[in-house]
């Protein structure tokens, strides 16, 4: 039953063809079938069933699409009285005394939290292989990665366990997993969704996002979550409202662009699907233009992201020292307590990022690395702003390939040439600028999904939804669930 969309489930509830308890029972049964994915940290089955029983006795509000809809929250959203670990050993016993704004909004609308999903530790990772609980497996092929860091949420939506799930996106942590898992992943304009109660990674880049299996559902969710919040200093109010009500396929007045230099780097089996879509758009009267973007700025995307995000992470996580916060490991001095706690509390990926971040913000390196990275970020944003002055929509590949095999990632040693292959870093553009960005399914290659990413200028979230709806209708891939419970290729 949870393979239905939010919109479909709402209609079934309104027409009394199903009850909240039936939805939750189906979700719980589906969750049990998908334990192989290793996508959860905490499951709240008893609590979800109890809430569903209460909702059974309540009238279904016709205007509340999220009433009785089950969901998962990435385990870096604080949930009062519920363990919140950020998939890190240093927080494995942390139970917040406060609630994130986003989960509180969902609670007030009687959505049903089914549990907390696994992530790359503290949001640091792009593969779904660095959670304290282990690898998160792709429901389309258990030998492949989901992408990260919002790996558990992506896997659960793609498997049909829940119709939507919360994530966070600092580099591409919602949109790339969406591409690898054949679902819709949306990162709204920076500040549009409150980050209060969400564990920070890099505050100038962090954005709350989420997964659905259709563009309609994505617009529905933003109608609820896109609220100004004075508890978040970066919260911003948009002039746009009622995204779902205003959802309509983009018209031919809209001008589309793609990055010609990046497009030419795609492998033939991926490139052919983008070429086909561009022809379809042109045949329907849309302007689709391949544009040049400074290659030196594209090659700078990854290093700029790394320097800025790693440096901000060092500051954001400085309290995780076993004294102020986090699981303590004893030592004979406060310095030893901090060293021991952080040594045992963090995984190797996080430690490496802290070392790089500390190096970048050290007194002797700030001008050379951190300040320079911020200046280059400004150049990238300026170039992107020029694109949006002429074009309404920028289309990007969500990734240069289908989801890689887990073993290939774990054995990977990047060469300098591979680091300069910027195609897999393109989604970082939207984090550097803060513009809305949505990934949706484009096609299947070797029975695995590939995604296309849709971008518009900041606060043009409706444009992104409308262009994505147009593409979704053209392609015909909507509300797709991975076959055979993730066991088709495992």
């Amino acid at each position: 039953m949870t393979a239905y969309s939010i919109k479909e489930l709402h209609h079934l509830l309104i027409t009394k063809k199903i009850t909240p308890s039936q939805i939750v029972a189906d979700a719980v049964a589906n969750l049990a079938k998908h334990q192989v994915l290793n996508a959860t940290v905490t499951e709240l089955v008893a609590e979800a069933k109890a809430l569903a029983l209460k909702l059974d006795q309540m009238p279904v509000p016709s205007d509340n699409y999220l009433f009785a809809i089950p969901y998962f929250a990435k385990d870096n959203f604080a949930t009062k009285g519920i363990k919140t670990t950020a998939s890190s050993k240093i927080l494995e016993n942390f139970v917040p005394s406060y609630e994130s704004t986003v989960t509180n909004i969902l609670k007030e609308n009687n959505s049903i939290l089914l549990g907390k999903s696994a992530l790359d530790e503290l949001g640091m990772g792009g593969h779904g292989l660095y959670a304290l609980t282990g690898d998160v497996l792709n429901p389309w092929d258990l030998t492949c990665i989901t992408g990260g860091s919002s790996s558990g949420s992506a896997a659960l939506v793609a498997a049909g366990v829940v119709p939507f799930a919360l994530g966070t996106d600092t580099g591409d942590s919602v949109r790339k997993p969406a591409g690898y898992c054949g679902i819709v992943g949306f990162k709204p304009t920076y500040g549009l969704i409150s980050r209060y109660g969400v564990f920070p990674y890099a505050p100038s880049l962090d954005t709350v996002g989420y997964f659905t299996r259709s563009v309609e559902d994505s617009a529905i969710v933003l109608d609820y979550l896109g609220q100004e919040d004075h508890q978040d200093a970066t919260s911003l109010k948009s002039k746009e409202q009622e995204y779902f009500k205003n959802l309509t396929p983009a018209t031919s007045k809209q001008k589309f662009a793609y990055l010609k230099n990046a497009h030419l780097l795609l492998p033939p089996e991926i490139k052919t699907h983008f070429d086909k879509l561009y022809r379809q758009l042109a045949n329907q009267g849309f302007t689709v233009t391949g544009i040049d973007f400074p290659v030196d700025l594209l090659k700078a995307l990854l290093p700029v992201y790394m320097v800025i995000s790693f440096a901000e992470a060092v500051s954001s996580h400085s309290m995780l020292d076993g004294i102020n916060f986090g699981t303590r490991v004893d030592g004979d001095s406060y310095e030893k307590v901090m060293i021991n706690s952080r040594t045992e509390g963090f995984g190797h990926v996080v430690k490496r990022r802290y070392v790089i971040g500390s190096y970048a913000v050290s007194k002797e390196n700030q001008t050379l690395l951190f300040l320079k990275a911020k200046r280059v970020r400004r150049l990238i944003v300026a170039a992107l702003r020029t694109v949006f002055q002429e074009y309404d929509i920028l289309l990007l590949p969500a990734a240069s390939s289908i989801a890689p095999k887990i073993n290939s990632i774990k054995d990977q040693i990047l060469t300098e040439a591979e680091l300069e292959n910027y195609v897999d870093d393109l989604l970082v553009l939207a984090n550097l600028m803060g513009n809305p960005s949505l990934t949706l399914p484009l096609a299947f290659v070797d029975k695995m999904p590939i995604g296309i990413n849709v971008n518009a200028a900041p606060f043009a979230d409706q444009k992104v939804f409308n262009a994505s709806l147009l593409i979704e209708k053209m392609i015909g891939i909507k509300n797709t669930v991975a076959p055979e419970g993730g066991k088709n290729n495992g």
Side-chain angles (χ1 to χ4, degrees):
M1 196 176 297
T2 43
Y4 286 109
S5 67
I6 293 172
K7 182 182 174 184
E8 290 167 339
L9 286 171
H10 178 67
H11 176 71
L12 292 171
L13 285 165
I14 288 286
T15 55
K16 299 183 178 181
K17 292 180 179 177
I18 56 170
T19 65
S21 286
Q22 288 172 322
I23 293 176
V24 168
D26 185 74
V28 169
N30 209 357
L31 178 61
K33 293 177 185 176
H34 289 89
Q35 292 297 310
V36 66
L37 299 177
N38 197 36
T40 65
V41 178
T42 301
E43 296 175 5
L44 303 169
V45 172
E47 294 88 342
K49 286 181 176 179
L51 177 55
L53 282 171
K54 290 182 181 179
L55 299 184
D56 286 344
Q57 309 305 315
M58 295 172 58
V60 180
S62 60
D63 60 346
N64 185 355
Y65 281 86
L66 297 187
F67 179 90
I69 303 298
Y71 76 98
F72 268 83
K74 186 175 179 179
D75 203 30
N76 58 350
F77 285 79
T79 42
K80 186 176 181 179
I82 299 169
K83 190 168 68 171
T84 304
T85 72
S87 286
S88 178
K89 184 175 177 60
I90 205 162
L91 290 168
E92 62 182 334
N93 298 314
F94 177 59
V95 179
S97 58
Y98 59 98
E99 187 83 20
S100 78
T101 294
V102 169
T103 52
N104 194 55
I105 289 170
L106 294 172
K107 184 182 291 187
E108 289 174 346
N109 283 282
N110 286 312
S111 301
I112 300 175
L113 179 62
L114 193 53
K116 308 295 290 293
S117 57
L119 61 145
D120 284 317
E121 183 181 4
L122 294 166
M124 296 193 203
H127 303 116
L129 305 179
Y130 311 119
L132 179 62
T133 48
D135 302 347
V136 178
L137 310 184
N138 191 310
W140 289 91
D141 184 336
L142 301 180
T143 66
C144 291
I145 68 168
T146 57
S149 63
S150 306
S151 45
S153 289
L156 292 162
V157 172
V161 175
V162 286
F164 83 101
L166 301 177
T168 54
D169 192 310
T170 304
D172 55 22
S173 295
V174 164
R175 293 160 295 143
K176 187 166 281 182
Y180 285 152
C181 293
I183 55 178
V184 174
F186 182 55
K187 182 203 84 68
T189 295
Y190 179 88
L192 207 58
I193 299 179
S194 172
R195 296 182 310 185
Y196 175 76
V198 180
F199 295 177
Y201 164 16
S204 77
L205 303 169
D206 292 343
T207 313
V208 171
Y210 51 86
F211 300 94
T212 62
R213 289 192 300 275
S214 73
V215 175
E216 280 186 330
D217 278 4
S218 193
I220 286 170
V221 174
L222 188 59
D223 278 338
Y224 292 85
L225 301 189
Q227 299 183 25
E228 189 177 13
D229 180 16
H230 297 298
Q231 295 182 102
D232 176 4
T234 63
S235 179
L236 297 166
K237 189 174 183 179
S238 175
K239 294 179 181 178
E240 295 183 333
Q241 293 181 344
E242 298 185 312
Y243 296 97
F244 178 54
K245 182 179 179 181
N246 293 307
L247 185 63
T248 183
T251 67
S252 57
K253 294 179 181 178
Q254 304 274 291
K255 295 170 66 178
F256 288 73
Y258 64 91
L259 302 187
K260 187 166 53 179
N261 35 3
H263 181 68
L264 294 174
L265 293 176
L266 291 172
E269 67 273 16
I270 303 289
K271 183 174 176 290
T272 185
H273 294 287
F274 284 87
D275 287 331
K276 180 181 177 181
L277 174 65
Y278 300 157
R279 288 195 301 270
Q280 286 178 285
L281 286 166
N283 290 340
Q284 291 199 18
F286 289 88
T287 299
V288 185
T289 306
I291 62 172
D292 292 314
F293 197 93
V295 174
D296 56 344
L297 294 182
L298 293 177
K299 288 183 177 180
L301 285 173
L302 183 59
V304 165
Y305 166 77
M306 290 172 67
V307 171
I308 292 175
S309 67
F310 297 177
E312 291 187 16
V314 169
S315 174
S316 296
H317 302 158
S318 60
M319 82 295 288
L320 297 176
D321 56 11
I323 296 175
N324 294 294
F325 211 70
T327 303
R328 177 179 298 193
V329 178
D330 288 336
D332 54 15
S333 67
Y334 78 89
E335 292 99 334
K336 280 290 186 182
V337 170
M338 291 171 66
I339 291 170
N340 294 342
S341 298
R342 291 172 76 87
T343 298
E344 291 194 25
F346 296 130
H348 70 280
V349 171
V350 168
K351 290 175 186 173
R352 185 166 64 238
R353 294 193 179 198
Y354 287 160
V355 169
I356 295 170
S358 298
Y359 181 80
V361 293
S362 62
K363 185 177 180 180
E364 60 270 26
N365 295 319
Q366 267 198 37
T367 301
L368 176 66
L369 294 173
F370 186 58
L371 296 180
K372 185 175 182 180
K374 293 202 292 184
R375 291 189 188 105
V376 177
R377 176 183 184 175
R378 228 172 21 243
L379 295 175
I380 293 168
V381 170
L384 198 52
R385 187 180 297 117
T386 300
V387 172
F388 289 132
Q389 285 171 351
E390 187 169 353
Y391 300 96
D392 297 285
I393 297 295
L394 176 64
L395 300 176
L396 301 170
S400 65
S401 69
I402 61 173
K405 295 289 186 181
I406 291 172
N407 289 340
S408 72
I409 295 297
K410 289 188 171 180
D411 297 337
Q412 187 177 38
I413 300 175
L414 290 176
T415 64
E416 188 172 338
E418 287 172 322
L419 285 171
E420 288 197 350
N421 180 11
Y422 52 79
V423 177
D424 281 319
D425 306 318
L426 293 174
L427 301 191
V428 173
L429 284 165
N431 297 94
L432 297 178
M433 187 183 207
N435 62 283
S437 181
L438 182 149
T439 293
L440 71 157
L442 174 65
F444 289 87
V445 173
D446 296 331
K447 298 182 180 179
M448 291 293 288
I450 59 171
I452 185 168
N453 182 253
V454 181
N455 298 267
F459 296 102
D461 299 72
Q462 190 71 58
K463 271 188 183 180
V464 168
F465 285 138
N466 291 352
S468 300
L469 182 65
L470 171 74
I471 293 169
E472 184 180 71
K473 288 180 177 294
M474 279 185 174
I475 295 169
I477 302 175
K478 176 182 176 181
N479 207 35
T480 302
V481 173
E484 300 179 32
K487 300 174 184 175
N488 55 318
N489 294 315

